[in-house]
Amino acid sequence: MIEVTVRTRNGAYPVLIGNGLLQGLPKLLTEHVTAERFAVISDDNVAPLYGEELLEAAHAVGLDSRLFTFPAGEASKTRKTWSILTDDLLEAGFGRDSCIIAVGGGVTTDIAGFVAATFLRGVPVVQVPTSYLAMIDASVGGKTGVDAKAGKNLVGAFHPPALVVADPQSLATLPREERAEGLVEAFKHGAILDEAYFEQLNETVVALLDADTKLSEEAVCRSVKLKAAVVSEDELESGYRQILNFGHTLGHALEAASGYRLGHGKAVALGMVLEAELGERLGVTDPGTRERLEVSLKGLLGPTSNTPNPAESICFLASDKKVRAGKPRVVLLKKIGQVDPGDRWSHELPEEMLEGVFAAVLGVL
Ligand code: NAD
């Protein structure tokens, strides 16, 4: 088992990573959390796979616990699901001495984290991510929340977990397409911070897509260490943490313009290639960076079809969260493994260049 520590304003929390850790989860809970009752929150895909087993194991060691489920999918990440879960917890008599255990992908870790952040003004949450995306990204860093009509993740709270337990063996049941989409964030970690990791991902991509347990464990550890270092330095995203948004400004615009039919991973992958093309045109990013990203991400995802109309995507940029003084901002690479510092880690988006950038990238992907 590997332990990575994430520092926060109010202390620190451990991220435990290891194959087989789920089997010992109740014992880890008793060691790391002080609570009288445990509410396990999971979606209806993951609950039968891991939630129910966890509940049985918790009961076996005498932990007072109960399972709450909601329908799987991003469409459930709403205030409506948040209010249903919150009311169910209240009805079941959960109080301030409770702890919430989120078992699932990023939708579950986000919504259960937000329930925990707000339930009786805040109870602890333990994140048990079961998708690549949740293990290497969503469960680490304390961001929780739900989507709103105006956009994704617009209502939420910073609520650092008490503990994160990632068992890469659970990736075996994750659909292959979800594995590919989640691994985009691993490539992003390499692209912004660690060229050697980026190359290692290229070499092991087939095994990672097959959920090879040893290599997945290694990749999850490496990504979590990289993300943990960033969020420990800038928990509330006032500066340095923004580097994690590489690929997300243009990626989110594509995702929104597609009416969320384009998967998040695919959208961010295209966003990274677009932002590298933009950086090269501006003379900020080393020439050849866009091509390296494009080759790697095509190797991971295959060809991307049904990309949305560039003009519509450009319209969505105005509603991006990464605006400063009303202007959208973008994170640009210096080269693979290094972000250009820009002005507090981002650059103003030169909107007049976007049409050309979109045409150059979307035409060939
Ligand atoms: P998800 O939670 O919808 O999971 C994807 C699908 O895989 C779902 O159908 C789920 O039921 C299923 N699944 C998950 N684990 C499984 C397993 N082990 N076996 C079988 N099926 C499994 O989505 P995701 O891709 O994990 O996460 C996406 C969400 O994460 C988005 O809402 C995004 O906004 C959020 N996110 C949050 C942060 C953050 O910092 N809080 C960061 C990145 C992404």
Side-chain angles (χ1 to χ4, degrees):
M1 178 179 80
I2 306 280
E3 178 168 342
V4 181
T5 303
V6 183
R7 293 191 312 276
T8 74
R9 291 161 296 166
N10 302 316
Y13 59 89
V15 182
L16 309 180
I17 305 153
N19 285 317
L21 274 188
L22 278 188
Q23 278 140 36
L25 187 56
K27 186 162 174 281
L28 292 172
L29 293 177
T30 54
E31 286 165 4
H32 289 270
V33 188
T34 318
E36 294 300 322
R37 297 187 78 190
F38 294 87
V40 179
I41 297 183
S42 206
D43 73 27
D44 57 8
N45 287 337
V46 177
L49 292 167
Y50 304 105
E52 287 163 13
E53 212 171 298
L54 166 62
L55 205 69
E56 269 175 41
H59 288 157
V61 299
L63 296 182
D64 181 353
S65 43
R66 194 163 154 176
L67 179 64
F68 299 84
T69 60
F70 64 93
E74 186 74 30
S76 282
K77 214 177 97 176
T78 58
R79 277 165 285 182
K80 188 170 172 213
T81 311
W82 165 83
S83 79
I84 292 171
L85 289 167
T86 302
D87 285 342
D88 287 351
L89 284 166
L90 290 168
E91 218 166 278
F94 278 80
R96 288 211 48 81
D97 55 359
S98 316
C99 171
I100 287 174
I101 321 278
V103 183
V107 166
T108 303
T109 57
D110 271 9
I111 197 159
F114 189 46
V115 170
T118 47
F119 189 69
L120 303 175
R121 299 201 175 82
V123 295
V125 62
V126 173
Q127 299 286 12
V128 184
T130 60
S131 68
Y132 266 129
L133 188 75
M135 287 187 200
I136 67 175
D137 197 358
S139 66
V140 178
K143 282 187 182 176
T144 71
V146 293
D147 302 332
K149 214 167 162 191
K152 278 185 63 168
N153 302 323
L154 294 182
V155 179
F158 282 95
H159 188 59
L163 169 71
V164 183
V165 181
D167 180 349
Q169 270 176 5
S170 62
L171 297 166
T173 53
L174 185 70
R176 195 181 166 87
E177 177 145 359
E178 298 290 350
R179 290 186 202 144
E181 297 242 2
L183 283 167
V184 170
E185 295 292 340
F187 275 93
K188 183 198 73 183
H189 290 146
I192 58 176
L193 289 162
D194 186 341
E195 185 176 13
Y197 179 41
F198 185 84
E199 283 313 326
Q200 191 191 316
L201 289 166
N202 277 323
E203 282 159 26
T204 53
V205 68
V206 175
L208 291 172
L209 283 169
D210 287 340
D212 176 283
T213 43
K214 187 168 170 288
L215 292 171
S216 315
E217 189 184 51
E218 272 173 35
V220 170
C221 284
R222 202 139 169 192
S223 266
V224 167
K225 279 182 189 160
L226 291 170
K227 180 159 183 189
V230 174
V231 300
S232 292
E233 197 161 311
D234 177 20
E235 184 186 0
L236 303 182
E237 202 172 298
S238 45
Y240 184 53
R241 185 170 176 162
Q242 288 174 62
I243 67 166
L244 296 169
N245 290 329
F246 173 59
H248 285 63
T249 302
L250 298 182
H252 274 164
L254 289 169
E255 203 181 356
S258 77
Y260 296 95
R261 276 183 292 277
L262 184 65
H264 178 71
K266 287 198 178 106
V268 171
L270 283 169
M272 286 198 271
V273 178
L274 286 163
E275 290 175 13
E277 170 73 20
L278 176 66
E280 287 188 25
R281 287 179 182 219
L282 287 168
V284 172
T285 305
D286 284 1
T289 305
R290 171 224 152 143
E291 200 186 340
R292 281 177 74 186
L293 278 166
E294 194 177 311
V295 169
S296 299
L297 294 166
K298 263 190 191 162
L300 173 67
L301 298 165
T304 303
S305 54
N306 300 327
T307 50
N309 177 296
E312 278 174 30
S313 308
I314 292 167
C315 285
F316 274 94
L317 285 166
S319 62
D320 195 86
K321 277 181 298 182
K322 294 167 282 299
V323 287
R324 196 190 296 164
K327 300 242 191 260
R329 315 242 347 143
V330 65
V331 173
L332 297 176
L333 293 185
K334 170 81 192 76
K335 57 182 185 148
I336 296 288
Q338 195 182 330
V339 173
D340 184 81
D343 172 11
R344 286 181 283 155
W345 299 102
S346 64
H347 295 252
E348 198 174 294
L349 192 67
E351 289 178 64
E352 67 288 354
M353 290 175 71
L354 289 181
E355 219 174 292
V357 167
F358 273 77
V361 172
L362 297 186
V364 296
L365 274 172

